[in-house]
Amino acid sequence: MHDPFPNEVDESLWNEACRRAEAVREFLKHRTGKMTAAEVALLATELETSRATAYRLIKLFRAGGTVMSLVDRRRGRPDGHRVLDEKREEIIRNTISRYYLTRNRPSVSQLVRDVQTNCLSAGLRPPHRRTIKARLEDIDLQKRAKRRGENDIVKQTQAVPGVYAASRPLQVVQVDHTKADVFVVDEETRQPIGRPWLTLAMDVCSRMVTGFYLTMDAPSRLSTSLCLLHSVFDKSAWLREREITEAWPVAGLPETLHVDNVLYSE
């Protein structure tokens, strides 16, 4: 799902984002060093938000530097909601089905021109190019490739028979990352901070988790390294520190490490 465009954002949300951007811009203009909690608290009071939200807005503005980066998504459209009226949505669906998903394989640019022309003919405002592309990307890639006769893509999206297996423990250890299905909240304000990332190392033979690392930061070499560090060492002391009585009998260097479809062997 793509982020909205300025002309697709509710006016009240846009005005509030402009107010936030101006306040944060002035706040950062006079601070080149480390911010204090008291300073952020003053900004939070000006913005009429919690301190956790003020920190989040500062981070978003530093990353994006635009008014759009501060538009309140939570009070905006829910996931899956469309900003276009049903008439334009129907024109997009019909144009994609009749003219784009064909063996003639027209380009995306041609699709955009067709949709915009059809909207103008119906007396409707043409949608943005990225809005049309977002609808196109909602279609299952394999279904799209079959309709367009793109056999190479069809082959790439088909499951390959076979099982990736190992014959003994620690012969192959796989490492992967996933966002945990929980939200971390500020201990004072109870405002959501975000979802943590979980990095897991798993033994292919036994299917036992050999180690893990939990962090609020996005996956990186550091999170992979710390997960492997936890994986190879004996877990006895780690379990005692947390008063866990269950055994976790796994430790040692793997012969082969499988990370993001890349194999590393000792």
Side-chain angles (χ1 to χ4, degrees):
M1 179 66 66
H2 292 283
D3 287 339
F5 309 103
N7 64 343
E8 298 177 337
V9 176
D10 181 81
E11 184 176 357
S12 62
L13 294 180
W14 179 256
N15 291 337
E16 175 62 15
C18 290
R19 185 180 76 88
R20 289 177 168 184
E22 181 62 26
V24 174
R25 187 181 294 111
E26 287 298 315
F27 177 82
L28 295 176
K29 185 185 298 183
H30 301 95
R31 290 166 181 81
T32 55
K34 186 176 181 179
M35 301 174 295
T36 66
E39 290 173 333
V40 177
L42 288 175
L43 176 64
T45 301
E46 180 182 352
L47 294 174
E48 299 177 348
T49 65
S50 67
R51 191 170 62 181
T53 300
Y55 274 113
R56 181 175 61 83
L57 294 176
I58 292 170
K59 182 178 179 180
L60 288 172
F61 190 76
R62 279 176 165 171
T66 64
V67 174
M68 279 300 300
S69 62
L70 301 187
V71 171
D72 192 341
R73 266 57 168 184
R74 290 175 299 170
R75 293 196 294 123
R77 298 183 301 278
D79 291 343
H81 182 76
R82 302 299 195 186
V83 298
L84 297 182
D85 54 86
E86 183 55 35
K87 289 184 179 179
R88 287 188 292 174
E89 291 284 4
E90 185 178 1
I91 288 176
I92 293 176
R93 287 195 299 267
N94 290 339
T95 306
I96 290 176
S97 180
R98 295 177 183 176
Y99 303 107
Y100 183 80
L101 299 180
T102 67
R103 299 280 173 168
N104 293 329
R105 301 185 191 178
S107 64
V108 174
S109 296
Q110 182 61 52
L111 170 66
V112 171
R113 288 193 294 269
D114 289 343
V115 170
Q116 293 178 340
T117 298
N118 292 340
C119 286
L120 288 172
S121 299
L124 300 172
R125 180 183 176 184
H128 194 279
R129 174 188 177 90
R130 280 181 58 186
T131 302
I132 300 170
K133 288 184 66 178
R135 303 301 186 269
L136 188 62
E137 291 169 1
D138 284 343
I139 303 172
D140 179 75
L141 179 60
Q142 188 176 98
K143 174 183 176 181
R144 197 166 72 200
K146 285 181 178 180
R147 290 279 300 273
R148 285 169 60 85
E150 297 169 328
N151 296 326
D152 290 341
I153 297 179
V154 172
K155 291 179 182 178
Q156 292 171 13
T157 55
Q158 287 178 333
V160 178
V163 176
Y164 186 58
S167 59
R168 58 187 181 277
L170 294 183
Q171 182 181 13
V172 180
V173 168
Q174 291 182 314
V175 177
D176 204 358
H177 317 275
T178 184
K179 261 194 174 181
D181 195 20
V182 295
F183 275 91
V184 176
V185 301
D186 185 274
E187 60 182 355
E188 295 181 359
T189 66
R190 313 306 294 173
Q191 293 293 316
I193 298 173
R195 292 166 58 189
W197 281 94
L198 176 64
T199 301
L200 279 178
M202 180 174 289
D203 177 59
V204 173
C205 176
S206 65
R207 308 310 298 170
M208 175 180 281
V209 173
T210 63
F212 73 92
Y213 182 67
L214 191 66
T215 177
M216 295 302 295
D217 298 324
S220 65
R221 285 180 294 180
L222 177 61
S223 56
T224 301
S225 300
L226 292 173
C227 175
L228 288 174
L229 191 65
H230 188 228
S231 172
V232 301
F233 280 104
D234 180 79
K235 311 295 189 299
S236 301
W238 187 90
L239 292 170
R240 283 197 302 270
E241 288 176 3
R242 291 155 181 80
E243 299 180 355
I244 301 174
T245 58
E246 297 296 329
W248 193 353
V250 58
L253 290 171
E255 296 177 26
T256 300
L257 180 64
H258 187 192
V259 182
D260 293 332
N261 295 322
V262 178
L263 289 173
Y264 299 94
S265 300
E266 62 178 6

PDB file of all heavy atoms in Angstrom, residues 29 47 119 123:
ATOM      1  N   LYS A  29      15.651  23.822  14.670  1.00  0.00           N
ATOM      2  CA  LYS A  29      16.488  24.914  14.166  1.00  0.00           C
ATOM      3  C   LYS A  29      17.408  25.452  15.260  1.00  0.00           C
ATOM      4  O   LYS A  29      18.539  25.865  14.997  1.00  0.00           O
ATOM      5  CB  LYS A  29      15.611  26.045  13.627  1.00  0.00           C
ATOM      6  CG  LYS A  29      16.407  27.183  12.977  1.00  0.00           C
ATOM      7  CD  LYS A  29      15.492  28.323  12.581  1.00  0.00           C
ATOM      8  CE  LYS A  29      14.459  27.880  11.555  1.00  0.00           C
ATOM      9  NZ  LYS A  29      13.612  29.021  11.125  1.00  0.00           N
ATOM     10  N   LEU A  47       2.544  20.980  20.995  1.00  0.00           N
ATOM     11  CA  LEU A  47       1.836  20.177  19.994  1.00  0.00           C
ATOM     12  C   LEU A  47       0.581  19.519  20.563  1.00  0.00           C
ATOM     13  O   LEU A  47      -0.185  18.909  19.816  1.00  0.00           O
ATOM     14  CB  LEU A  47       2.772  19.088  19.450  1.00  0.00           C
ATOM     15  CG  LEU A  47       3.971  19.562  18.643  1.00  0.00           C
ATOM     16  CD1 LEU A  47       4.872  18.385  18.302  1.00  0.00           C
ATOM     17  CD2 LEU A  47       3.525  20.255  17.367  1.00  0.00           C
ATOM     18  N   CYS A 119     -11.261   8.263 -17.548  1.00  0.00           N
ATOM     19  CA  CYS A 119     -11.821   9.107 -16.485  1.00  0.00           C
ATOM     20  C   CYS A 119     -12.250  10.458 -17.038  1.00  0.00           C
ATOM     21  O   CYS A 119     -13.332  10.967 -16.707  1.00  0.00           O
ATOM     22  CB  CYS A 119     -10.803   9.288 -15.364  1.00  0.00           C
ATOM     23  SG  CYS A 119     -10.592   7.825 -14.310  1.00  0.00           S
ATOM     24  N   GLY A 123     -15.997  12.441 -17.390  1.00  0.00           N
ATOM     25  CA  GLY A 123     -16.152  13.678 -16.637  1.00  0.00           C
ATOM     26  C   GLY A 123     -15.609  13.601 -15.223  1.00  0.00           C
ATOM     27  O   GLY A 123     -16.049  14.343 -14.341  1.00  0.00           O
TER      28      GLY A 123
END
